[in-house]
């Protein structure tokens, strides 16, 4: 594995650079989805002043179903993005040199939720059915799983028909789809809150089938990591963000309320965000932001195991670095 390198001397030389002109350094963070407890660590860091203590002005930019974070990063709309690793590695293979600089989420919350009366009892039964999924790179883990099962996604009796999902779970509730990709901390509970009982559903967690991939990593452009000032700024950003995650995990109710305060749409509810925060805390538990290389390799192996149509065609080179987390965790 090729690693990006930056000397400790260069990092030390950059220390305090952000304050040289008396102004805090700016970080524009592109989220993968709308404002919700999935991103509580960042909102807590903002609200509790952790970014201020690192001399950073952090702008948190909400995402959505029609926003592709890699495109925002490539266009200069953000300094750093949150992205699922399959999406980021596919973008890298297609010419956008993004690099994972930290990995707050250490396990996956992705699963498929299907109607029990659809006759689907195992993922291998999905052929001939319609599955609703988010696009813009979020579909890659599902595509990889189907490819491993030798199930196409072009529809027909032998394949899956993909239907683009949006903000809600209407495709499943309205029976437009037999299954829908859901997160343990979000869409599954939207289905339950709509009045569906767990007995009416069958679920398949990616973690349980050995096809889970890393989610919600922090990614930056490779060329920027050649700049010691940028690396120093990212180290302070990651350090403050992980403080935010630690506080959020220890104070889930208060963290959820902070997220609600930052939800400018007013669409989120207290009950849903409280529950989401509790589930998300399980996904970040035990992590310190440093990428687990074994989990990285499992993700790569899963994406490569796609038969004739893998999500990526070759093992990535230089797709992650520990330089930022090493600096962040050094203090």
């Amino acid at each position: 594995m090729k690693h990006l390198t930056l000397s400790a001397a260069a990092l030390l030389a950059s220390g305090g650079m952000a304050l040289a002109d008396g102004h805090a350094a700016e970080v524009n963070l592109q989220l993968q989805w709308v404002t919700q407890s999935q991103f509580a660590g960042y909102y807590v860091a903002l609200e509790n002043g952790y970014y201020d203590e690192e001399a950073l002005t952090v702008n948190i930019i909400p995402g959505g179903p029609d926003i592709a974070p890699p495109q925002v990063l490539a266009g200069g709309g953000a300094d750093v993005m949150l992205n699922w690793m399959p999406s980021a590695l596919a973008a890298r293979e297609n010419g956008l040199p993004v690099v994972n600089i930290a990995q707050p989420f250490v396990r996956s919350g992705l699963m498929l939720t299907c109607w029990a009366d659809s006759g689907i009892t195992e993922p291998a039964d999905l052929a001939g059915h319609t599955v609703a999924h988010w696009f813009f790179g979020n579909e890659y883990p599902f595509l990889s799983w189907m490819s491993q099962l030798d199930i196409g996604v072009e529809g027909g009796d032998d394949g899956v028909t993909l239907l683009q999902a949006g903000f809600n779970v209407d495709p499943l509730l309205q029976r437009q789809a037999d299954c829908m990709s859901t997160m343990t901390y979000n869409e599954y509970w939207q289905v339950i809150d709509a009045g569906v009982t767990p007995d009416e559903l069958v679920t398949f967690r990616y973690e349980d089938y050995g096809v889970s991939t890393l989610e919600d990593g922090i990614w930056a452009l490779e060329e920027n990591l050649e700049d010691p000032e940028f690396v120093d700024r990212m180290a302070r950003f990651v350090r403050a963000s992980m403080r935010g995650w630690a506080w959020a995990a220890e104070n889930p109710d208060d963290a959820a309320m902070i997220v609600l305060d930052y939800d400018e749409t007013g669409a989120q509810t207290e009950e849903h965000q409280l529950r989401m925060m509790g589930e998300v805390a399980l996904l970040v538990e035990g992590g310190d932001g440093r990428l687990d290389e074994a989990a990285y390799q499992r993700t790569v192996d899963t994406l490569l195991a796609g038969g004739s149509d893998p999500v990526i065609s070759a093992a990535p080179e230089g797709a992650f670095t520990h330089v930022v987390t090493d600096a962040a965790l050094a203090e």
Side-chain angles (χ1 to χ4, degrees):
M1 172 59 60
K2 174 184 175 185
H3 292 270
L4 293 171
T5 59
L6 188 69
S7 71
L11 276 175
L12 289 172
S14 69
M17 188 178 298
L19 291 174
D21 61 358
H23 296 88
E26 187 173 72
V27 176
N28 294 305
L29 168 65
Q30 176 64 59
L31 303 183
Q32 177 142 339
W33 199 245
V34 299
T35 298
Q36 57 184 12
S37 292
Q38 177 185 357
F39 312 112
Y42 308 100
Y43 286 108
V44 166
L46 184 63
E47 179 66 18
N48 286 2
Y50 301 156
Y51 292 134
D52 291 338
E53 292 179 26
E54 296 285 356
L56 295 174
T57 297
V58 175
N59 304 308
I60 301 177
I61 308 168
D66 298 324
I67 296 175
Q71 292 180 8
V72 177
L73 196 66
D79 301 296
V80 66
M81 68 171 179
L82 302 183
N83 208 214
W84 287 3
M85 187 166 282
S87 171
L89 293 184
R92 183 177 177 85
E93 183 165 286
N94 289 325
L96 181 64
V98 293
V99 176
N100 180 295
I101 62 172
Q103 187 61 46
F105 276 45
V106 297
R107 53 190 65 85
S108 169
L110 184 61
M111 64 182 187
L112 288 173
T113 297
C114 306
W115 287 111
D117 62 8
S118 65
I120 299 169
T121 59
E122 289 292 337
D125 298 332
L126 286 170
H129 293 275
T130 297
V131 176
H133 211 300
W134 321 286
F135 285 4
F136 294 101
N138 296 310
E139 72 275 28
Y140 290 144
F142 177 75
L143 297 181
S144 179
W145 195 4
M146 292 303 99
S147 185
Q148 292 180 53
L149 294 173
D150 199 25
I151 299 176
V153 291
E154 293 78 28
D157 293 340
D158 298 327
V160 166
T161 298
L162 271 181
L163 177 68
Q164 183 173 1
F167 282 102
N168 54 46
V169 293
D170 284 353
L172 188 71
L173 296 177
Q174 297 173 359
R175 297 278 182 168
Q176 299 166 5
D178 302 304
C179 300
M180 183 169 181
S181 282
T182 59
M183 304 305 296
T184 56
Y185 51 79
N186 191 7
E187 289 82 6
Y188 173 78
W189 294 104
Q190 291 183 32
V191 176
I192 297 300
D193 288 344
V196 180
T197 66
D199 290 344
E200 295 179 275
L201 303 169
V202 58
T203 59
F204 309 106
R205 290 194 60 172
Y206 282 59
E207 288 278 1
D208 296 336
Y209 287 84
V211 293
S212 63
T213 53
L214 288 170
E215 299 161 0
D216 290 58
I218 304 176
W219 298 76
L221 290 176
E222 184 171 334
E223 62 186 25
N224 291 336
L225 293 167
E226 297 172 359
D227 179 358
E229 186 280 328
F230 183 82
V231 173
D232 175 68
R233 186 161 26 119
M234 289 301 103
R236 289 182 281 131
F237 169 71
V238 168
R239 182 164 53 238
S241 299
M242 293 312 299
R243 282 184 68 191
W245 275 118
W247 192 94
E250 292 174 359
N251 306 275
D253 291 353
D254 290 336
M257 298 309 293
I258 288 173
V259 171
L260 280 171
D261 287 342
Y262 281 93
D263 173 33
E264 295 182 350
T265 70
Q268 306 292 359
T269 67
E270 181 175 336
E271 178 185 12
H272 189 55
Q273 292 309 304
L274 287 170
R275 188 166 50 198
M276 182 184 294
M277 186 60 238
E279 294 288 341
V280 167
L282 300 175
L283 305 183
V284 300
E285 184 179 21
D288 61 4
R290 183 181 173 87
L291 175 70
D292 178 354
E293 293 190 28
Y296 168 83
Q297 192 58 52
R298 184 194 67 232
T299 297
V300 169
D301 291 344
T302 297
L303 299 178
L304 287 172
S308 61
D309 190 24
V311 171
I312 55 176
S313 61
E317 294 286 336
F320 71 87
T321 178
H322 293 310
V323 169
V324 171
T325 49
D326 284 351
L329 298 172
E331 296 185 9

